[in-house]
Amino acid sequence: MTSFAPDSLVLNRKLPLWYQVSQSLRASILGRAPEASLRLPTEEKLAQHYGVSVLTMRQALKELEEEGLISRHRRRGTFIEPGARRGAPRRLLGSIDAIVAQQSGERTTVLGHGPEPVPVELAEHFPGAAEVVVYRRLRCDGDSGEPTNWAENALHPDVAAGLDIADLERWPMTKVLRDALGVRISRITDTVEARLADPRTAELLGVPLLSPILHYTGVTYDETGRVVDVARIRYRGDRFSFSVTVDAADRA
């Protein structure tokens, strides 16, 4: 059995450390290999791995325990819940690892990909470009197989040139861009709005036509300020909610 090993994390000192650690560990848990061990390393080893204090690690684990992803047993250790629910609320708090965590833990099918003229509604993000490469994916719950969301990603052709489709079936696009393609992501802007399911969305997600959905748009910028990816994701409205946490120190 393959032992469980969490992904690495570059900490952002402007955000709560426990939150960043919990989101990184959440993504690792939901994206783990099926044969990986369900037992997590000790608090001390996890704290050392992430470069944080044991107290911070304990707070991160508490967050995952409250979400139902892990269970903690005195003297036995901490274990991943094999039937953990993957439709928990998405929390937006300005972390790249949080974005990865939001997109992890589901079975992904690539519906199609290829170059297309830049959509009119995306022209402002790709000035001067005639084409983008669009990837369409359907995500389903890892346990039930029920469709949960479907995504369209529009990438600059030079970025898409190095993309391996097999990576998209394993990882979220943000992780592929950062870890597989080496894109230095400077920021991602998120927009979430309520919409009604169009015929394509209703068919893919198995919901009635014009039923409520959550429409997410994420614009990813590299270190030069160029937009490298625009993601448009349609979530089933009965499976997801989004919450935003604002730290009191950030208020004017």
Side-chain angles (χ1 to χ4, degrees):
M1 178 180 292
T2 304
S3 60
F4 178 81
D7 292 338
S8 59
L9 170 66
V10 177
L11 293 170
N12 181 340
R13 296 294 170 178
K14 295 182 179 180
L15 296 172
L17 298 182
W18 67 266
Y19 174 79
Q20 296 178 71
V21 170
S22 70
Q23 293 302 295
S24 178
L25 187 53
R26 182 184 191 275
S28 297
I29 288 172
L30 294 181
R32 70 191 186 280
E35 69 276 9
S37 171
L38 295 178
R39 182 167 188 161
L40 291 180
T42 64
E43 287 181 352
E44 291 76 12
K45 289 184 178 180
L46 284 171
Q48 183 179 22
H49 173 80
Y50 286 113
V52 298
S53 69
V54 172
L55 185 62
T56 296
M57 193 68 238
R58 195 167 295 159
Q59 189 174 3
L61 291 172
K62 181 181 178 182
E63 174 85 358
L64 298 181
E65 184 178 26
E66 291 176 350
E67 188 179 332
L69 284 179
I70 63 173
S71 58
R72 309 175 75 188
H73 305 274
R74 187 177 179 83
R75 295 192 178 91
R76 289 182 53 210
T78 302
F79 296 83
I80 299 169
E81 287 291 329
R85 183 172 178 267
R86 288 162 167 79
R90 280 15 186 174
R91 300 184 63 187
L92 308 180
L93 194 57
S95 164
I96 299 299
D97 286 279
I99 300 297
V100 172
Q102 290 161 23
Q103 302 168 352
S104 298
E106 295 158 326
R107 190 174 69 232
T108 300
T109 300
V110 177
L111 301 174
H113 64 93
E116 298 181 10
V118 177
V120 174
E121 64 272 22
L122 301 186
E124 63 177 304
H125 299 302
F126 300 101
E131 290 185 333
V132 289
V133 180
V134 178
Y135 297 83
R136 295 182 174 88
R137 294 163 295 146
L138 177 66
R139 300 191 184 111
C140 299
D141 183 272
D143 295 323
S144 68
E146 180 183 37
T148 58
N149 64 87
W150 79 280
E152 289 181 299
N153 289 81
L155 273 66
H156 259 291
D158 60 334
V159 175
L163 195 150
D164 186 339
I165 292 297
D167 286 339
L168 274 186
E169 295 174 341
R170 300 170 51 212
W171 297 328
M173 179 63 83
T174 304
K175 183 174 177 64
V176 172
L177 290 172
R178 185 188 64 180
D179 298 345
L181 298 181
V183 175
R184 293 184 177 271
I185 298 173
S186 63
R187 61 190 173 98
I188 299 175
T189 62
D190 297 317
T191 304
V192 182
E193 57 185 320
R195 290 192 183 180
L196 301 179
D198 56 40
R200 175 70 163 160
T201 297
E203 177 185 5
L204 288 173
L205 300 186
V207 298
L209 183 65
L210 301 182
S211 62
I213 63 166
L214 292 175
H215 189 282
Y216 163 90
T217 302
V219 183
T220 301
Y221 298 80
D222 67 14
E223 61 183 349
T224 70
R226 182 184 67 157
V227 173
V228 294
D229 170 43
V230 178
R232 292 176 291 176
I233 309 176
R234 291 85 167 171
Y235 292 94
R236 282 183 52 158
D238 60 346
R239 291 296 303 272
F240 294 99
S241 64
F242 287 78
S243 63
V244 179
T245 301
V246 178
D247 192 284
D250 294 332
R251 296 178 183 172

